[in-house]
Amino acid sequence: MSEFTPAKKTRKRFPFRLRLEPRLEEPPRWYPALVSFLAIVVALVFGGGLIALAGGDPIRSYIHIAKASFGSLGVLSDTIVKATPILLTSLACAVAFRMKLWNIGAEGQFIMGAFGASAVVLIPLLPPETPRWIFLPVMALAGILLGALWGWIPGFLKAYFGVNEIISTLMLNYIAVSWVNFFIFAVWTEGGFQMSPKFPKTAWLPRLADYAKAVPAFRGLTTHLGLLIGLVMAVLLWFVVNRSRWGYEIRLIGDNPRAARYAGINIRRNIVLVMMLSGALAGLGGMSEVSGVVHRLQTSPIAAGYGFTGIIVAWLAKLNPLVIILVSILFGALLLAGREIQPSGIPKMIQGIILVCLIASDFLLQYRIRIVRVDEEN
Amino acid sequence: MEALIIILQAGVGTGTVLLFATLGEVFAERSGVLNLGVEGMMLIGAMSAYSVALSTGDPWLGVLVAMLFAGAISQIHAFISITLLADQVVSGLALTFLGTGISLVLGEGLSKAGAVSLLPTLSVPLLSKIPLIGPIFFTNQSVMVYIGYLLTPLAWYYINYTRPGLHLRAVGEYPAAADALGINVYRLRYLYVLVGGMLAGLAGATISLAVSPGWFSELTTAGQGWIAVGLVIFAQWDPLRAAAGSYAFGALRRLILDIQGPTQLFGFPNPFYYNPYWGFFLQMLPYAFTIIVLVIGSREAVRKRIGAPAALGTPYVRGERGV
């Protein structure tokens, strides 16, 4: 309703001024990609400046990131391992954001998913000699259930009590960390260390390296089945959001809640359902991480901020599940390489700068900037 | 009783951190700009205050730099959400990411740095003699605590009873009408986002130079910025309620830390002393309480038909049909 009047911004006593005009027609398809690309370039330049300010060498840092993440088949595989949890958490964020539901709690849902999957092994719900084809699905189911539960709480509170989901999901992140900490310290501790015992091999997601006997090229490659799970979920989610009736409801509520209500869409029900779906995806990510990489319940490698990176990736990919695949690999590279870079906060800072530049650049998609002569105007 | 007074006394200090951050956010949101970057700005404030106090030896200079740096970074959010009309939620989140990242990079190595001169503590001569209230509120408190006492009523008076305060509320409730009256909506929103940022920086400085001195990377704030955002809703954008909520949460945080110490509690063996792992459940409490407080705040807002400033979260564009 409001897009048709030009936005005005006054500059005093200057013969030219900037005028913002809303774009009436869709920009060409390549344009959003170009803008995002430029935003990242600008972000890297800013980031480089800050690295230099902190006493580092920006160019060497960036070359190091590129080499340490794409330099060989081995590190590429490690990059993909890092990208897998990001892929699932950013899918989780994307579906919620599509409905303008700000689920900032993918981190907590991811942690609870990891907890659920671990509980199957550690309680133990299934004996350690259970065959893999039973073990893994049950673990995945437990991860999905706990993730969905962790999404249901803020969804329910928002739908029926009007509780701001940003804050409730964030608070649940902290609660999830304490919850897992309690279990690894008090219940499942291995010899007083802050971690559970290692899972039996049957509870591990298969890795490429497991098939090195059949395919020698796979030797030492850590990429695990979680990648495939993530890819399948991305494609499924794309179909659900873009091609299903439910997806249409989600998009309509996101774009125009009033119209959605007049169309008879049950918004409350959708808030709860989408939060649960979002939590389930993040929880599945937690299961994939704990069963594919960590192989035990331990806080530090699981609560490593994948849920927060997922937010940025989802936004960068403009909430498109298929683009998310690509972007999460880039961010996997950033995280992988970042472990060796000093100061250690650099990857986090670059993520922040990228997000800021992206949001600022979105402006270029919705408005065009015209330079006009002031005296020509009237 | 002694122990309780000591806990409450320390709780006032802890609560002052939340108070500054919450008041700052009240100002920003009253002008119609939701700023979710509080956590990031607090980290920037805590890091720069500690860093400057360490290198110059002057904690006051640290406080000043913290407010300026956090204020400067808040203007990124102002620019993106007010001028570029972007979504305030995403922009604020980005600010938290950015602030966290920058403070981690610039604060590298600070945690191992030596002792730093802290902000002075003092007792108020007469007031500290009042039974109960004296020892809790006016004895051996940091200067920051007293600044908090002054700031709260000032903010309340400013927002509700002064002309600029009226303009602030107008800009947040009905920017188009404010604009028609000649109030510069954009300038005021920039200004109050700046105020919010500086207060968040002050909150950060209060942590690192007074309440729990030092720089512990992200754990320095441990989500207090987010609790502050939650408290604003609970406080229904009112400084006095914000103060009540902040001190209550401060006391709770202290209680959780201190309850695990003694071997006896009210004559019974202290379960938290003998089962130290129960402490993890205690740690959840502030976050769980924030959610509970939000439920209460949201219900009450619905019942009393008071709510957020009407224009909260919507960018203002002159000439467009507003709220």
Side-chain angles (χ1 to χ4, degrees), chain A residues 2-3 5-9 12 20 50 54 100 102 104 157 161-164 166-168 170-172 174-175 178-179 181-182 185-186 308 311-312 315 342-346 348-349 352-353 355-356 359-360 363 367, chain B residues 36 39 76 80 83-87 89-91 93-95 97-98 100-102 104-106 108 186-187 218 222-223 226-227 229-230 233 277-278 280-281 283-284 287-288 290-291 294-295 298-299 317-320:
Chain A
S2 53
E3 264 78 4
T5 23
K8 289 190 180 172
K9 188 165 167 290
K12 282 170 199 160
L20 307 178
L50 276 164
K100 293 234 165 65
W102 303 112
I104 316 302
L157 290 177
F161 294 93
V163 171
N164 183 320
I166 301 169
I167 299 164
S168 58
L170 252 156
M171 295 296 125
L172 284 168
Y174 292 100
I175 294 177
S178 287
W179 176 261
N181 268 336
F182 172 76
F185 274 88
F308 296 114
I311 298 171
I312 303 175
W315 202 257
Q342 292 299 323
S344 56
I346 284 182
K348 209 160 219 163
M349 185 185 76
I353 298 175
L355 189 56
V356 168
I359 298 162
F363 177 74
Y367 293 85
Chain B
L36 295 180
E39 177 86 359
I76 297 177
I80 292 178
T83 303
L84 298 188
L85 314 172
D87 192 293
V89 172
V90 192
S91 169
L93 274 177
L95 190 66
F97 282 117
L98 185 69
T100 312
I102 291 179
L104 288 185
V105 169
L106 298 182
E108 178 87 3
Y186 299 106
R187 186 187 295 164
E218 286 148 302
W226 292 107
I227 292 182
V229 177
I233 298 172
Y277 299 126
W278 289 19
F280 289 116
F281 291 102
Q283 281 173 15
M284 295 177 193
Y287 309 112
T290 307
I291 296 178
L294 276 180
V295 174
S298 311
R299 282 188 72 106
V317 181
R318 181 181 277 178
E320 281 192 359

Side-chain angles (χ1 to χ4, degrees), chain A residues 24 49 92 101 116 149 198 243 258 281 304 318 320 327 334 364:
Chain A
L24 297 179
L101 211 50
L149 170 73
K198 227 174 173 79
R243 290 287 180 268
R258 195 179 291 178
L281 284 167
K318 305 263 185 280
N320 180 334
V327 180
L334 186 61
L364 293 173

Side-chain angles (χ1 to χ4, degrees), chain B residues 122-129 137-140 146:
Chain B
L122 48 102
S123 305
V124 180
L126 278 173
L127 294 175
S128 59
K129 296 287 182 290
F137 289 100
F138 299 108
T139 309
N140 284 330
Y146 299 105

Side-chain angles (χ1 to χ4, degrees), chain A residues 358-370:
Chain A
L358 270 175
I359 298 162
S361 76
D362 273 355
F363 177 74
L364 293 173
L365 299 183
Q366 282 159 16
Y367 293 85
R368 53 170 87 232
I369 300 173
R370 283 260 168 88

Side-chain angles (χ1 to χ4, degrees), chain A residues 42-349:
Chain A
V42 170
L44 291 181
V45 171
F46 271 122
L50 276 164
I51 293 173
L53 203 70
D57 181 341
I59 293 168
R60 265 178 51 192
S61 293
Y62 287 143
I63 291 176
H64 185 88
I65 290 179
K67 262 195 193 153
S69 47
F70 296 111
S72 73
L73 198 60
V75 290
L76 180 64
S77 164
D78 288 347
T79 297
I80 289 174
V81 170
K82 277 275 173 205
T84 304
I86 303 174
L87 172 59
L88 281 158
T89 53
S90 52
L91 291 176
C93 295
V95 62
F97 290 1
R98 195 65 195 81
M99 212 177 110
K100 293 234 165 65
L101 211 50
W102 303 112
N103 177 18
I104 316 302
E107 178 81 1
Q109 292 143 10
F110 182 86
I111 295 169
M112 288 312 278
F115 169 81
S118 309
V120 172
V121 187
L122 297 168
I123 287 180
L125 282 181
L126 292 174
E129 60 273 14
T130 314
R132 215 175 223 185
W133 63 272
I134 301 182
F135 225 136
L136 293 176
V138 173
M139 286 172 74
L141 196 67
I144 288 173
L145 280 178
L146 266 132
L149 170 73
W150 226 237
W152 174 82
I153 299 172
F156 174 77
L157 290 177
K158 168 147 181 112
Y160 293 94
F161 294 93
V163 171
N164 183 320
E165 77 279 15
I166 301 169
I167 299 164
S168 58
T169 49
L170 252 156
M171 295 296 125
L172 284 168
N173 290 346
Y174 292 100
I175 294 177
V177 173
S178 287
W179 176 261
V180 169
N181 268 336
F182 172 76
F183 280 90
I184 58 173
F185 274 88
V187 184
W188 296 326
T189 171
E190 184 178 46
F193 290 105
Q194 306 157 18
M195 51 175 137
S196 78
K198 227 174 173 79
F199 297 167
K201 285 256 165 124
T202 47
W204 293 17
L205 282 174
R207 296 171 161 182
L208 282 183
D210 297 349
Y211 304 100
K213 278 204 189 95
V215 189
F218 285 173
R219 189 183 307 273
L221 295 190
T222 47
T223 305
H224 56 86
L225 194 64
L227 174 70
L228 196 63
I229 298 177
L231 293 177
V232 170
M233 287 300 150
V235 174
L236 276 180
L237 194 67
W238 187 86
F239 270 101
V240 168
V241 171
N242 293 300
R243 290 287 180 268
S244 79
R245 188 197 153 90
W246 186 31
Y248 175 72
E249 292 189 4
I250 293 174
R251 285 182 288 138
L252 185 57
I253 297 173
D255 292 338
N256 193 339
R258 195 179 291 178
R261 198 161 40 240
Y262 290 145
I265 294 173
N266 188 337
I267 295 184
R268 281 186 175 174
R269 191 167 142 258
N270 270 310
I271 289 176
V272 177
L273 282 180
V274 167
M275 280 303 292
M276 286 176 74
L277 173 64
S278 180
L281 284 167
L284 188 59
M287 177 270 169
S288 137
E289 187 69 3
V290 83
S291 163
V293 180
V294 190
H295 299 144
R296 56 161 43 118
L297 188 60
Q298 189 182 1
T299 324
S300 53
I302 291 168
Y306 294 120
F308 296 114
T309 305
I311 298 171
I312 303 175
V313 171
W315 202 257
L316 181 52
K318 305 263 185 280
L319 311 185
N320 180 334
L322 302 181
V323 182
I324 282 177
I325 299 173
L326 193 75
V327 180
S328 46
I329 290 175
L330 288 178
F331 272 72
L334 186 61
L335 289 194
L336 179 75
R339 289 181 311 184
E340 301 155 28
I341 293 179
Q342 292 299 323
S344 56
I346 284 182
K348 209 160 219 163
M349 185 185 76

